[in-house]
Amino acid sequence: MASSHSSSPVPQSNSSDAFFKKEMDATKRFCPVQSLPDVCPKEPTGNPNNLCDSPSLVADQQRWTIYHSKVNLPAALNDPRLAKRESDFFTKTWGVDFVDTEVTPSFYLPQITKEHFALYQQEISPREKVNERCKNICTPKDTFDRTLLHTHDKSRTDLEQVPKIFMKPDFALEDSLTFNAVLPWSHFSTAGGKGNRDAASSRLLQEKLSHYLDIVEVNIAHQISLRSEAFFHAMTSQHELQDYLRKTSQAVKLLREKISKIDKVMCEGSLRVLRLSLTRNNCIKAYNKLKLMATVHQTQPTVQLLLSTSEYVGALDLIATTQEVLQQELQGIHSFRHLGSQLCELEKLIDKMMIAEFSTYARNDLNRPLEDDCQILEEERLVSLVFGLLKQRKLNFYEIYGDEMINTAKNIIKQCVVNTVSQIEEIDTEVVVKLADQMRMMNFPQWFDLLKNIFSKFTIFLKRIKATLNTIRSVVFLVLDKNQKTRDLEDTLQKNSAKESTVDTEVAYLTHEGMFISDAFGDGELPAGAADTASQRNTSPNSEPCSSDSVSEPECTTDSSSSKEHTSSSITPGGVEMMISDDMKLTDLELVRLANNIQELLYNASDICHDRSVKFLMARAKDGFLEKLNSNEFVTLSRLMEGFILDTEQICGRKSMSLRGALQSQANRFVNRFHEERKTKLSLLLDNERWKQAEVPAEFQDLVDSVSGGRISLPEKKPTATEERKPAEFLIVEGQKYATVGTVLLLIRIILEYCQCVDNIPSITTDMLTRLSDLLKYFNSRSCQLVLGAGALQVVGLKTITTKNLALSSRCLQLIVHYIPIIRAHFEARLQPKQFSMLRHFDHITKDYHDHIAEISAKLVAIMDSLFDKLLSKYEVKAPVPSACFRNICKQMAKMHEAIYDLLPEEQTQMLFLRINASYKLHLKRQLAHLNVVNDGGPLNGLVTSDVAFYTGNLQALKGLNNLDLNMAEIWEQKR
């Protein structure tokens, strides 16, 4: 075991370039077991005089001696490769970690590297080569090696004779399987004539077990003989170690006695002084805490007393202060563990009480008699309630006032109707029960007086609301102003405190030998030097800390909380003085938003009055009463309503459009009926239109002629003259011929009727503009569905949508587009400048119509494009010329020209055929590329040129297309 810890002075390596290790003699390589070297020094063997060189805890530890070099005894005695570590005494007692702990490298031994052995390697290399040659020549005798190996192999062979079951760690004869395996029952059976044989088997088994036992005992004895000397040497070293530890313990005891005497003489008195000082300060703080607890204990009764007198703001301030003290000064006090939650519940109760109180105030303020001259009801109560609600962040309290305004407005109208009906003898209230029915029985003068009375009541009502809301807004602005002043004050204090920070830092801390000890003193207990520096805090260097008399008031300990609740006095515009504390947790943004919402509430009051008035008017207009008024009565009603509208605008500062819109709605009813009738008529016309060219009656030509110079006016009917005139084939508009359908002729007349209606009723100009825009959009979308979308096939029963139908639809759209700028100018002259933005509808309509026309043109080109794709895909360059493909193409082109030439202007026809020709060239170029026909002057090129010449001649022979530039050279691929 001791040999396992020995190390060679030469580094060992498994690599091929390792140093050569000198061959040892066989007798030296297999040496007998040696005893362990002494792990403890030989000097301290019990002689007290030899302790002079032993380590001492009170002596100088810097000088290194041989005693600094130590060996771990268990590490020397214990082999970590053993399987059963529990058998080792030291490892079992001190733990496995005692053996595995790494030894810290010594600071006094040099670090050996490979370079240190360079010289040795140079010297030993020749010897290594010589030794290798000798080993190859003659084999060394290893008789002794074979003997030892034979002994070792024999021992191992003997152990292998013992069955493996005896070597198992869980071997136990109590287990039935194990017992049967070791002692089979067959060896103990005595039945029949097998007695002698069984007895022999039993003896054989006994001898076998005895043999196993002898083998094990021999091996155990051999192992003990190998390790006996090391064990007894370890026990001897253990006694020496115990002697060394006993002397060390005595040295430690002596040192501790000296330290204890030093502690009593030099430290105990000073520390006692500091301890007593801290105890005194703690007693003072405990006394102040108790006084503060007594004050907090009286919070709930005080709050109840304040609530009994409706002092909500004072109660809330007290609760907030108490909550802050509980969180800062009295945090963790067991007796107050429920006080915080109780105060929170009490605060919620106060919130509900304030909201209920404000609701009662709003109801009393708005429902008092309107003849009362007092504008604001109990202004002090209102200011107190608003301030309390702001403190609790109940910023939606104005909604309660808004709900009360709606209810009060309803009651005002109801009360006015009841009072008026009671004065009219013609109305029997017992027969006619409902107020609306009673109101409808009034004639116009009676109903007009009732409306006038309602408007006067509403005017007084709005003035009261304005006065109350102005008071509420003034409170909000005062709080906002206080917040701004508080921020300015904090900025000033922060600048001043920055200048004094150096002096405060020197006074706050005292140092002694580099350590801060200011925590050992109270706030008023400073040494003489610090007291002289901070003379404003303590005038005497030996002054005592504040005694119980000096801290008799609880404010002395709650300065951090109470300092935040300074209050300032402010006066509302009504002369009411109120105290504003600094603990308002409202930001400037919230306050500004609240002020805006209150102002918006005033606007809502005006809207409420207008809305109720509108409902009153609509209730009377159900039986067509307002539509039956003559011009004088309508003008009188209009002036009354305009006067009320101006009064509300002056009071509230914003226009309300609902009442003015009620008057406008009566005119709009006519506009709606007018528009629906004509839109229905146009829809029926479109659903029955077969999209064929219609003759133009003379009256429609006169209608178009009446629109001259951008002025729109309907001509007078001349029945005798129109009967003699024959209808024309085209509609002439400023010298241009338009082929149209019957629906478009009627649409032009409808458009002119819209324009004439605007001249007769100027107030409906904007509404009529919207309706006319809707009508034009409807015609565009519906015609697109019927023609481009082929809806006419199902609606009218057309067999197909021909190119002639498409061209005629395009020309009708162009006619409408021609009149849109004239219509726009007509409406622009009758609109206010701020309403000019509505004219953009005409721009959108014009764009939609142009897009529709472009889609029709694209559809015509697409028809021919599909034809070209079908015919040219089968084209082959061969005789005869012209080919059948080109003859068919020219035939279809002639049909297309015949269908559209009379309907479209010559310029549009030419542009359309240019696009068709471009499509033709594209398909032909693609087919020629597919057939590998190039412009090389060959036979195939000649055939293609002949076909193209035939196509060009036929196309230019068509009417109006003789000057068309076809540019047929583009069909050939350009050489790069």
PDB file of all heavy atoms in Angstrom, residues 6 56 148 171 179 235 306 345 356 381 393 405 433 503 609 702 704 710 737 752 778 878 900:
ATOM      1  N   SER A   6       4.395   6.045  -3.749  1.00  0.00           N
ATOM      2  CA  SER A   6       5.756   6.455  -4.133  1.00  0.00           C
ATOM      3  C   SER A   6       5.748   6.901  -5.558  1.00  0.00           C
ATOM      4  O   SER A   6       4.965   6.413  -6.368  1.00  0.00           O
ATOM      5  CB  SER A   6       6.720   5.285  -3.932  1.00  0.00           C
ATOM      6  OG  SER A   6       6.333   4.218  -4.777  1.00  0.00           O
ATOM      7  N   SER A  56       3.680  27.349  16.407  1.00  0.00           N
ATOM      8  CA  SER A  56       2.963  28.056  17.469  1.00  0.00           C
ATOM      9  C   SER A  56       2.040  29.080  16.835  1.00  0.00           C
ATOM     10  O   SER A  56       2.393  29.756  15.865  1.00  0.00           O
ATOM     11  CB  SER A  56       3.949  28.760  18.409  1.00  0.00           C
ATOM     12  OG  SER A  56       3.259  29.523  19.361  1.00  0.00           O
ATOM     13  N   LEU A 148       7.664 -15.641  -8.727  1.00  0.00           N
ATOM     14  CA  LEU A 148       6.653 -14.738  -8.121  1.00  0.00           C
ATOM     15  C   LEU A 148       5.335 -14.803  -8.891  1.00  0.00           C
ATOM     16  O   LEU A 148       4.256 -14.825  -8.291  1.00  0.00           O
ATOM     17  CB  LEU A 148       7.187 -13.306  -8.085  1.00  0.00           C
ATOM     18  CG  LEU A 148       8.340 -13.057  -7.117  1.00  0.00           C
ATOM     19  CD1 LEU A 148       8.802 -11.620  -7.236  1.00  0.00           C
ATOM     20  CD2 LEU A 148       7.924 -13.373  -5.691  1.00  0.00           C
ATOM     21  N   PHE A 171     -24.797 -12.052  -0.276  1.00  0.00           N
ATOM     22  CA  PHE A 171     -24.855 -13.463   0.145  1.00  0.00           C
ATOM     23  C   PHE A 171     -25.469 -13.573   1.546  1.00  0.00           C
ATOM     24  O   PHE A 171     -25.018 -12.907   2.486  1.00  0.00           O
ATOM     25  CB  PHE A 171     -23.438 -14.046   0.140  1.00  0.00           C
ATOM     26  CG  PHE A 171     -23.382 -15.478   0.630  1.00  0.00           C
ATOM     27  CD1 PHE A 171     -23.735 -16.529  -0.210  1.00  0.00           C
ATOM     28  CD2 PHE A 171     -22.983 -15.765   1.922  1.00  0.00           C
ATOM     29  CE1 PHE A 171     -23.675 -17.828   0.243  1.00  0.00           C
ATOM     30  CE2 PHE A 171     -22.933 -17.073   2.361  1.00  0.00           C
ATOM     31  CZ  PHE A 171     -23.283 -18.114   1.530  1.00  0.00           C
ATOM     32  N   PHE A 179     -29.691 -20.731   0.125  1.00  0.00           N
ATOM     33  CA  PHE A 179     -29.482 -21.897   0.979  1.00  0.00           C
ATOM     34  C   PHE A 179     -29.533 -23.193   0.172  1.00  0.00           C
ATOM     35  O   PHE A 179     -28.693 -24.086   0.342  1.00  0.00           O
ATOM     36  CB  PHE A 179     -30.533 -21.901   2.092  1.00  0.00           C
ATOM     37  CG  PHE A 179     -30.317 -22.999   3.102  1.00  0.00           C
ATOM     38  CD1 PHE A 179     -29.433 -22.824   4.158  1.00  0.00           C
ATOM     39  CD2 PHE A 179     -31.004 -24.207   3.004  1.00  0.00           C
ATOM     40  CE1 PHE A 179     -29.229 -23.838   5.083  1.00  0.00           C
ATOM     41  CE2 PHE A 179     -30.801 -25.210   3.933  1.00  0.00           C
ATOM     42  CZ  PHE A 179     -29.913 -25.035   4.983  1.00  0.00           C
ATOM     43  N   MET A 235      -0.279   2.976  13.508  1.00  0.00           N
ATOM     44  CA  MET A 235      -0.754   3.173  14.875  1.00  0.00           C
ATOM     45  C   MET A 235       0.280   3.930  15.702  1.00  0.00           C
ATOM     46  O   MET A 235      -0.046   4.804  16.518  1.00  0.00           O
ATOM     47  CB  MET A 235      -1.059   1.815  15.522  1.00  0.00           C
ATOM     48  CG  MET A 235      -2.241   1.092  14.876  1.00  0.00           C
ATOM     49  SD  MET A 235      -3.755   2.049  14.912  1.00  0.00           S
ATOM     50  CE  MET A 235      -3.992   2.137  16.678  1.00  0.00           C
ATOM     51  N   LEU A 306     -66.074  63.852  11.387  1.00  0.00           N
ATOM     52  CA  LEU A 306     -66.006  64.714  10.200  1.00  0.00           C
ATOM     53  C   LEU A 306     -67.107  64.372   9.198  1.00  0.00           C
ATOM     54  O   LEU A 306     -67.693  65.268   8.570  1.00  0.00           O
ATOM     55  CB  LEU A 306     -64.631  64.586   9.545  1.00  0.00           C
ATOM     56  CG  LEU A 306     -63.445  65.141  10.328  1.00  0.00           C
ATOM     57  CD1 LEU A 306     -62.132  64.783   9.652  1.00  0.00           C
ATOM     58  CD2 LEU A 306     -63.561  66.654  10.474  1.00  0.00           C
ATOM     59  N   GLU A 345     -61.760  50.524   3.369  1.00  0.00           N
ATOM     60  CA  GLU A 345     -63.210  50.368   3.257  1.00  0.00           C
ATOM     61  C   GLU A 345     -63.927  51.678   3.599  1.00  0.00           C
ATOM     62  O   GLU A 345     -64.918  52.037   2.960  1.00  0.00           O
ATOM     63  CB  GLU A 345     -63.685  49.244   4.186  1.00  0.00           C
ATOM     64  CG  GLU A 345     -63.193  47.862   3.794  1.00  0.00           C
ATOM     65  CD  GLU A 345     -63.709  47.446   2.433  1.00  0.00           C
ATOM     66  OE1 GLU A 345     -64.831  47.863   2.076  1.00  0.00           O
ATOM     67  OE2 GLU A 345     -62.990  46.723   1.721  1.00  0.00           O
ATOM     68  N   ALA A 356     -73.172  60.033  -4.132  1.00  0.00           N
ATOM     69  CA  ALA A 356     -74.612  60.192  -3.851  1.00  0.00           C
ATOM     70  C   ALA A 356     -74.937  61.650  -3.522  1.00  0.00           C
ATOM     71  O   ALA A 356     -75.979  62.177  -3.962  1.00  0.00           O
ATOM     72  CB  ALA A 356     -75.012  59.276  -2.701  1.00  0.00           C
ATOM     73  N   ARG A 381     -70.954  74.232  -0.910  1.00  0.00           N
ATOM     74  CA  ARG A 381     -71.169  72.777  -0.922  1.00  0.00           C
ATOM     75  C   ARG A 381     -70.675  72.165  -2.232  1.00  0.00           C
ATOM     76  O   ARG A 381     -70.046  71.095  -2.227  1.00  0.00           O
ATOM     77  CB  ARG A 381     -72.666  72.513  -0.728  1.00  0.00           C
ATOM     78  CG  ARG A 381     -73.072  71.055  -0.775  1.00  0.00           C
ATOM     79  CD  ARG A 381     -74.579  70.950  -0.722  1.00  0.00           C
ATOM     80  NE  ARG A 381     -75.047  69.586  -0.901  1.00  0.00           N
ATOM     81  CZ  ARG A 381     -76.301  69.254  -1.158  1.00  0.00           C
ATOM     82  NH1 ARG A 381     -77.220  70.224  -1.234  1.00  0.00           N
ATOM     83  NH2 ARG A 381     -76.653  68.008  -1.320  1.00  0.00           N
ATOM     84  N   ARG A 393     -59.895  60.971  -7.244  1.00  0.00           N
ATOM     85  CA  ARG A 393     -59.738  60.622  -8.659  1.00  0.00           C
ATOM     86  C   ARG A 393     -61.027  60.108  -9.275  1.00  0.00           C
ATOM     87  O   ARG A 393     -61.009  59.291 -10.210  1.00  0.00           O
ATOM     88  CB  ARG A 393     -58.625  59.587  -8.846  1.00  0.00           C
ATOM     89  CG  ARG A 393     -57.257  60.043  -8.379  1.00  0.00           C
ATOM     90  CD  ARG A 393     -56.216  58.956  -8.590  1.00  0.00           C
ATOM     91  NE  ARG A 393     -56.085  58.636 -10.002  1.00  0.00           N
ATOM     92  CZ  ARG A 393     -55.303  59.285 -10.861  1.00  0.00           C
ATOM     93  NH1 ARG A 393     -54.581  60.312 -10.443  1.00  0.00           N
ATOM     94  NH2 ARG A 393     -55.233  58.940 -12.130  1.00  0.00           N
ATOM     95  N   MET A 405     -79.158  66.397 -16.566  1.00  0.00           N
ATOM     96  CA  MET A 405     -79.557  67.390 -17.570  1.00  0.00           C
ATOM     97  C   MET A 405     -80.572  66.804 -18.546  1.00  0.00           C
ATOM     98  O   MET A 405     -81.547  67.467 -18.927  1.00  0.00           O
ATOM     99  CB  MET A 405     -78.325  67.884 -18.333  1.00  0.00           C
ATOM    100  CG  MET A 405     -77.410  68.790 -17.542  1.00  0.00           C
ATOM    101  SD  MET A 405     -76.166  69.620 -18.557  1.00  0.00           S
ATOM    102  CE  MET A 405     -75.479  68.261 -19.461  1.00  0.00           C
ATOM    103  N   VAL A 433    -105.979  61.416 -23.784  1.00  0.00           N
ATOM    104  CA  VAL A 433    -105.144  61.195 -22.599  1.00  0.00           C
ATOM    105  C   VAL A 433    -103.680  61.533 -22.876  1.00  0.00           C
ATOM    106  O   VAL A 433    -103.028  62.205 -22.074  1.00  0.00           O
ATOM    107  CB  VAL A 433    -105.276  59.744 -22.114  1.00  0.00           C
ATOM    108  CG1 VAL A 433    -104.415  59.514 -20.875  1.00  0.00           C
ATOM    109  CG2 VAL A 433    -106.742  59.410 -21.831  1.00  0.00           C
ATOM    110  N   VAL A 503     -21.621  70.641   2.935  1.00  0.00           N
ATOM    111  CA  VAL A 503     -21.643  70.844   4.389  1.00  0.00           C
ATOM    112  C   VAL A 503     -22.472  69.761   5.070  1.00  0.00           C
ATOM    113  O   VAL A 503     -22.101  69.230   6.115  1.00  0.00           O
ATOM    114  CB  VAL A 503     -22.207  72.246   4.701  1.00  0.00           C
ATOM    115  CG1 VAL A 503     -22.291  72.453   6.207  1.00  0.00           C
ATOM    116  CG2 VAL A 503     -21.323  73.308   4.065  1.00  0.00           C
ATOM    117  N   CYS A 609     -80.874  70.307 -25.444  1.00  0.00           N
ATOM    118  CA  CYS A 609     -82.018  71.207 -25.649  1.00  0.00           C
ATOM    119  C   CYS A 609     -82.466  71.193 -27.109  1.00  0.00           C
ATOM    120  O   CYS A 609     -83.672  71.188 -27.405  1.00  0.00           O
ATOM    121  CB  CYS A 609     -81.649  72.622 -25.223  1.00  0.00           C
ATOM    122  SG  CYS A 609     -81.353  72.793 -23.453  1.00  0.00           S
ATOM    123  N   ASP A 702     -84.589  70.159 -78.636  1.00  0.00           N
ATOM    124  CA  ASP A 702     -84.797  71.501 -78.089  1.00  0.00           C
ATOM    125  C   ASP A 702     -84.269  71.576 -76.649  1.00  0.00           C
ATOM    126  O   ASP A 702     -83.727  72.612 -76.228  1.00  0.00           O
ATOM    127  CB  ASP A 702     -86.286  71.849 -78.124  1.00  0.00           C
ATOM    128  CG  ASP A 702     -86.818  71.977 -79.547  1.00  0.00           C
ATOM    129  OD1 ASP A 702     -85.977  72.193 -80.457  1.00  0.00           O
ATOM    130  OD2 ASP A 702     -88.028  71.826 -79.743  1.00  0.00           O
ATOM    131  N   VAL A 704     -81.765  69.918 -75.395  1.00  0.00           N
ATOM    132  CA  VAL A 704     -80.309  70.010 -75.455  1.00  0.00           C
ATOM    133  C   VAL A 704     -79.883  71.396 -75.930  1.00  0.00           C
ATOM    134  O   VAL A 704     -78.909  71.973 -75.422  1.00  0.00           O
ATOM    135  CB  VAL A 704     -79.756  68.913 -76.385  1.00  0.00           C
ATOM    136  CG1 VAL A 704     -78.269  69.122 -76.636  1.00  0.00           C
ATOM    137  CG2 VAL A 704     -79.992  67.540 -75.797  1.00  0.00           C
ATOM    138  N   GLY A 710     -73.291  77.219 -71.028  1.00  0.00           N
ATOM    139  CA  GLY A 710     -73.149  76.736 -69.657  1.00  0.00           C
ATOM    140  C   GLY A 710     -74.346  77.047 -68.778  1.00  0.00           C
ATOM    141  O   GLY A 710     -74.304  76.781 -67.578  1.00  0.00           O
ATOM    142  N   LYS A 737     -72.388  64.641 -83.558  1.00  0.00           N
ATOM    143  CA  LYS A 737     -73.487  63.692 -83.608  1.00  0.00           C
ATOM    144  C   LYS A 737     -73.292  62.640 -82.518  1.00  0.00           C
ATOM    145  O   LYS A 737     -72.200  62.110 -82.352  1.00  0.00           O
ATOM    146  CB  LYS A 737     -73.543  63.001 -84.974  1.00  0.00           C
ATOM    147  CG  LYS A 737     -73.921  63.927 -86.117  1.00  0.00           C
ATOM    148  CD  LYS A 737     -74.001  63.127 -87.406  1.00  0.00           C
ATOM    149  CE  LYS A 737     -74.403  64.014 -88.577  1.00  0.00           C
ATOM    150  NZ  LYS A 737     -74.508  63.245 -89.839  1.00  0.00           N
ATOM    151  N   LEU A 752     -81.490  67.691 -65.974  1.00  0.00           N
ATOM    152  CA  LEU A 752     -81.874  69.105 -66.042  1.00  0.00           C
ATOM    153  C   LEU A 752     -82.959  69.433 -65.023  1.00  0.00           C
ATOM    154  O   LEU A 752     -83.010  70.553 -64.501  1.00  0.00           O
ATOM    155  CB  LEU A 752     -82.353  69.436 -67.463  1.00  0.00           C
ATOM    156  CG  LEU A 752     -81.287  69.284 -68.566  1.00  0.00           C
ATOM    157  CD1 LEU A 752     -81.869  69.662 -69.929  1.00  0.00           C
ATOM    158  CD2 LEU A 752     -80.077  70.142 -68.262  1.00  0.00           C
ATOM    159  N   TYR A 778     -75.298  55.486 -60.370  1.00  0.00           N
ATOM    160  CA  TYR A 778     -76.176  54.333 -60.577  1.00  0.00           C
ATOM    161  C   TYR A 778     -76.284  54.002 -62.057  1.00  0.00           C
ATOM    162  O   TYR A 778     -76.228  52.826 -62.451  1.00  0.00           O
ATOM    163  CB  TYR A 778     -77.556  54.629 -59.997  1.00  0.00           C
ATOM    164  CG  TYR A 778     -78.564  53.531 -60.260  1.00  0.00           C
ATOM    165  CD1 TYR A 778     -78.534  52.348 -59.539  1.00  0.00           C
ATOM    166  CD2 TYR A 778     -79.529  53.673 -61.258  1.00  0.00           C
ATOM    167  CE1 TYR A 778     -79.440  51.328 -59.796  1.00  0.00           C
ATOM    168  CE2 TYR A 778     -80.436  52.669 -61.522  1.00  0.00           C
ATOM    169  CZ  TYR A 778     -80.385  51.498 -60.789  1.00  0.00           C
ATOM    170  OH  TYR A 778     -81.289  50.488 -61.046  1.00  0.00           O
ATOM    171  N   LYS A 878     -47.856  29.018 -96.841  1.00  0.00           N
ATOM    172  CA  LYS A 878     -47.871  28.198 -98.058  1.00  0.00           C
ATOM    173  C   LYS A 878     -48.866  28.809 -99.032  1.00  0.00           C
ATOM    174  O   LYS A 878     -49.687  29.677 -98.680  1.00  0.00           O
ATOM    175  CB  LYS A 878     -48.245  26.757 -97.723  1.00  0.00           C
ATOM    176  CG  LYS A 878     -49.639  26.602 -97.128  1.00  0.00           C
ATOM    177  CD  LYS A 878     -49.919  25.142 -96.786  1.00  0.00           C
ATOM    178  CE  LYS A 878     -51.329  24.999 -96.205  1.00  0.00           C
ATOM    179  NZ  LYS A 878     -51.637  23.571 -95.898  1.00  0.00           N
ATOM    180  N   ILE A 900     -69.249  49.755 -86.014  1.00  0.00           N
ATOM    181  CA  ILE A 900     -68.947  50.884 -85.141  1.00  0.00           C
ATOM    182  C   ILE A 900     -68.744  52.201 -85.866  1.00  0.00           C
ATOM    183  O   ILE A 900     -68.717  53.255 -85.214  1.00  0.00           O
ATOM    184  CB  ILE A 900     -67.684  50.580 -84.318  1.00  0.00           C
ATOM    185  CG1 ILE A 900     -66.445  50.539 -85.208  1.00  0.00           C
ATOM    186  CG2 ILE A 900     -67.838  49.299 -83.531  1.00  0.00           C
ATOM    187  CD1 ILE A 900     -65.153  50.386 -84.441  1.00  0.00           C
TER     188      ILE A 900
END
